[in-house]
Amino acid sequence: MHRFLAGRLAQALGVLWLVATLTFVLLRLVPGGPFDRERRLPPEVLANIAAKYRLDEPLPAQYLRYLSGLVRGDLGLSYRYVDRTVNAIVAETLPVSALLGGCAFLLALAVALLVGLFAGARPDTWADRLFLFVATLGISLPNFILGALLAWLFSLRLGWLPSGSWGAPADLVLPAITLGAAPAAYLSHLLRATLIENLGADFIRTARAKGLSEGAVLLKHALRNSLIPVLTVCGPLAAALVTGSFVVEYVFAVPGMGRFYISAVTDRDYPVIMGVTIVYTALLVLANLVVDLVYAVVDPRIKIADGPR
């Protein structure tokens, strides 16, 4: 276990370094600069700004200073929000995006387990065909269209739920449904297909031959083996949802990281772009590591060992 964790930690550090380097290089290759405006600033003002943010240094020096800050956990100063650090922006907005993404992930997982299990146990029935239609619609419908429809129906027309506000539990409902709809449809479809395949396997016929009830066969044997492919995609999916959806946060005016990221791209706020990218990468790597550890719990045949003894 210790050797496995050490190896994955080394891989994670390598991925973070590669992402940080590529982000730094690509941002510098984009034409223009972070302080270019339609109305050009006087040269002396630009020189003072460049000196304040140390943009007048050679690119290798900027790169080494950036990596040194990452090692110390310092993501730098924002160019747009004067005297405000990227750490403060992430600390303020990440919990909001994490709350929204966590609710959307739990919703997607609950729907996938219920609907996928129900449809997979009854293939080629009217309920299964209805599920396939709804799942295909959920995967195909863009979340900005779904969000607009939900806001129009439940907020403007019916007045049941708020839209465009943040702070109350009811404010989470519409954004979480919008963000979790497509993942719920995808996970349900994946679980259904895997469950149908496993129900025709030899070990299921053996379990039935032993006299086990259909419920025990379905839940204890078929479902447990069908969760492996679902867990494989749950890691990246959870990381993507926890960091929030830029479109959903914009549609429902959620004060999360997505809105800051969009404004940072527009304003070429390099430190915010790089900081949010690094945070997203770290969450993605962590989620994949958690999935690897959960594998051994769900399927005892999968073992995580330190190597040969």
Side-chain angles (χ1 to χ4, degrees):
M1 175 67 75
H2 295 90
R3 183 177 298 178
F4 169 79
L5 291 177
R8 290 305 300 267
L9 180 60
Q11 294 177 11
L13 293 176
V15 170
L16 289 174
W17 169 79
L18 182 60
V19 170
T21 301
L22 289 176
T23 306
F24 180 90
V25 172
L26 290 175
L27 286 176
R28 265 57 180 187
L29 290 177
V30 175
F35 300 104
D36 292 345
R37 299 290 186 270
E38 293 183 2
R39 183 179 179 182
R40 187 169 180 81
L41 296 174
E44 58 273 12
V45 175
L46 287 175
N48 290 333
I49 294 176
K52 175 180 179 180
Y53 295 104
R54 303 176 72 175
L55 295 174
D56 53 350
E57 297 178 352
L59 284 181
Q62 294 184 40
Y63 172 70
L64 293 177
R65 179 165 47 81
Y66 171 60
L67 289 184
S68 175
L70 284 183
V71 172
R72 293 181 281 106
D74 182 10
L75 300 177
L77 282 173
S78 169
Y79 294 163
R80 178 183 179 187
Y81 304 96
V82 181
D83 295 331
R84 192 175 183 189
T85 65
V86 180
N87 295 62
I89 294 175
V90 171
E92 177 185 333
T93 58
L94 180 58
V96 176
S97 295
L99 176 61
L100 173 59
C103 292
F105 177 73
L106 293 177
L107 175 65
L109 199 58
V111 171
L113 289 175
L114 292 175
V115 178
L117 182 62
F118 179 81
R122 298 167 178 82
D124 298 325
T125 61
W126 67 269
D128 183 39
R129 287 189 285 270
L130 177 62
F131 156 74
L132 288 176
F133 172 77
V134 175
T136 303
L137 183 64
I139 295 173
S140 305
L141 192 64
N143 53 14
F144 64 89
I145 294 180
L146 178 61
L149 289 175
L150 292 178
W152 173 80
L153 178 60
F154 292 102
S155 183
L156 297 179
R157 295 288 295 180
L158 300 177
W160 292 354
L161 294 168
S163 176
S165 58
W166 189 258
D171 298 328
L172 266 172
V173 177
L174 292 182
I177 293 176
T178 303
L179 188 58
Y186 175 73
L187 291 177
S188 301
H189 201 288
L190 179 61
L191 179 60
R192 169 195 173 274
T194 310
L195 192 62
I196 291 175
E197 181 182 354
N198 283 327
L199 284 174
D202 292 337
F203 71 92
I204 294 297
R205 286 193 287 269
T206 302
R208 286 170 174 162
K210 291 180 179 179
L212 296 179
S213 65
E214 193 63 26
V217 170
L218 182 63
L219 297 177
K220 186 176 180 180
H221 296 277
L223 178 61
R224 188 168 187 175
N225 286 275
S226 301
L227 287 177
I228 300 299
V230 176
L231 286 174
T232 301
V233 299
C234 273
L237 179 63
L241 291 178
V242 165
T243 52
S245 168
F246 304 155
V247 176
V248 173
E249 290 184 8
Y250 182 80
V251 170
F252 291 99
V254 177
M257 271 200 314
R259 300 187 69 189
F260 275 87
Y261 191 82
I262 292 175
S263 64
V265 172
T266 303
D267 298 326
R268 297 183 183 180
D269 194 342
Y270 296 162
V272 174
I273 296 174
M274 293 187 293
V276 173
T277 303
I278 289 298
V279 170
Y280 173 80
T281 305
L283 290 174
L284 183 61
V285 170
L286 178 62
N288 284 327
L289 176 60
V290 172
V291 168
D292 288 340
L293 295 176
V294 173
Y295 275 156
V297 177
V298 175
D299 192 345
R301 295 172 300 178
I302 301 176
K303 298 297 181 181
I304 298 175
D306 286 333
R309 297 181 182 276

